[in-house]
Amino acid sequence: AATAPRIPPTRLALHHFDTSYSLRLGALWPSVRAGLLCEQKYGALLNNFAAADHVPQELELLNATDFVSEAQQWQEGVAAGEAARGCQEGSGEGRTVMQAEMMTQAEMSPPLCTSISSKIKCYTFPRGDITRFRPARPDALGLLDYYLMDAASLLPVLALNVQPDDFVLDLCAAPGGKTLALLQTGFCGHLAANDVSVSRTKRLYQILHSYVPKEVRDTVNVTSYDGRDWDQLKGGTFHKVLVDVPCTTDRHSAMEEDNNIFHKRRTKERQVLPMLQLQLLMAGILATKPGGEVVYSTCSLSPLQNECVVE
């Protein structure tokens, strides 16, 4: 054992993914695997608090596009196409009923909220283009013009569908990208951002200081409680709760040796992740008002950390 070659945690992670995800994803796994191992591709979340009206034009000249508005346009196009087909296929009273049903379905369950989509803008380069965005620049007041993040990390915020004056809780907030995105909606009547790690909470403070004016920053309640105990502190008080839980963070696990959860010393920590995730989700549910909404998200493909926790 003392002379056996050391197996890097990244190799252990990839072996685990090959074993489990290949069974789940089948023929899709090779392309997903390649995506995990490719250079990370960032999106540029525009900072609505900065005086940076020139930035969208600058990014568009580089062939970057706002994927949120593109998704909105695609959604509207699909809805219009379905409505047109409904009008052609139906007639008289039946057609009127069909159109009414389509409109009701569209109003009840929009994939992206129109009001949020009009405020949040996140630019990405086309598929296959791994051009790097320039570093963010400060405006006259020192606020940076955009925040670089994995564009997929914006999806839980869009799914949360924040409405004007909602009380919102980001239960596992650090390092702060999703908290910043929630503020970009302009709808948070009150925002609580919590993370159990004090060091990660410092990173959250840094992001707020770099991107958010003081008058808005002062309205954010940043705490470092154990999220599993949140319901004992402020149960049933929020309209919307984001539970973006600690997980195996698959890309990091497959690519980075430092702080890798597949390291031998962290085996027990990795094994108890689904239970921790379940406890955090339960706390998030209990922190929500009756009729409120909870979004649970991870950075992992693992069913044990996703579907099984929700079930």
Side-chain angles (χ1 to χ4, degrees), residues 3-122:
T3 58
R6 175 177 172 271
I7 301 176
T10 49
R11 194 187 305 173
L12 286 174
L14 197 56
H15 174 72
H16 172 77
F17 298 156
D18 282 333
T19 303
S20 57
Y21 296 168
S22 61
L23 293 175
R24 181 188 178 211
L25 297 175
L28 289 174
W29 172 236
S31 60
V32 174
R33 186 184 197 272
L36 278 178
L37 297 175
C38 282
E39 181 178 350
Q40 188 164 5
K41 190 174 174 182
Y42 287 96
L45 174 67
L46 292 196
N47 184 12
N48 294 325
F49 300 113
D53 295 339
H54 64 284
V55 174
Q57 183 179 5
E58 176 189 329
L59 295 178
E60 287 164 11
L61 287 172
L62 296 173
N63 203 29
T65 55
D66 172 23
F67 88 85
V68 183
S69 63
E70 280 190 340
Q72 179 77 27
Q73 292 166 8
W74 178 84
Q75 173 191 334
E76 291 170 353
V78 170
E82 289 178 350
R85 284 194 297 273
C87 290
Q88 292 169 359
E89 293 168 2
S91 62
E93 182 180 352
R95 180 171 63 193
T96 304
V97 171
M98 189 182 300
Q99 286 177 282
E101 288 176 348
M102 286 179 175
M103 290 175 66
T104 302
Q105 290 172 0
E107 290 167 359
M108 287 177 64
S109 56
L112 291 175
C113 175
T114 305
S115 52
I116 287 183
S117 299
S118 64
K119 291 177 178 292
I120 289 186
K121 296 185 183 301
C122 186

Side-chain angles (χ1 to χ4, degrees), residues 240-299:
K240 303 289 172 67
V241 176
L242 175 59
V243 186
D244 183 54
V245 294
C247 64
T248 49
T249 318
D250 292 354
R251 178 190 287 278
H252 181 273
S253 295
M255 297 287 284
E256 303 289 338
E257 299 295 340
D258 291 341
N259 200 32
N260 193 311
I261 199 165
F262 279 85
H263 194 283
K264 187 176 180 180
R265 291 193 301 268
R266 302 184 70 185
T267 300
K268 182 63 176 178
E269 180 184 352
R270 188 174 72 251
Q271 290 172 343
V272 300
L273 268 177
M275 180 54 68
L276 170 63
Q277 294 160 343
L278 175 61
Q279 292 169 334
L280 287 167
L281 177 55
M282 288 301 300
I285 292 171
L286 293 172
T288 311
K289 289 175 176 287
E293 297 178 49
V294 178
V295 168
Y296 173 83
S297 62
T298 75
C299 301

Side-chain angles (χ1 to χ4, degrees), residues 163-186:
Q163 298 298 301
D165 300 321
D166 272 352
F167 276 45
V168 182
L169 167 62
D170 189 351
L171 190 61
C172 309
K178 294 181 181 67
T179 303
L180 179 62
L182 286 166
L183 289 171
Q184 299 302 316
T185 67

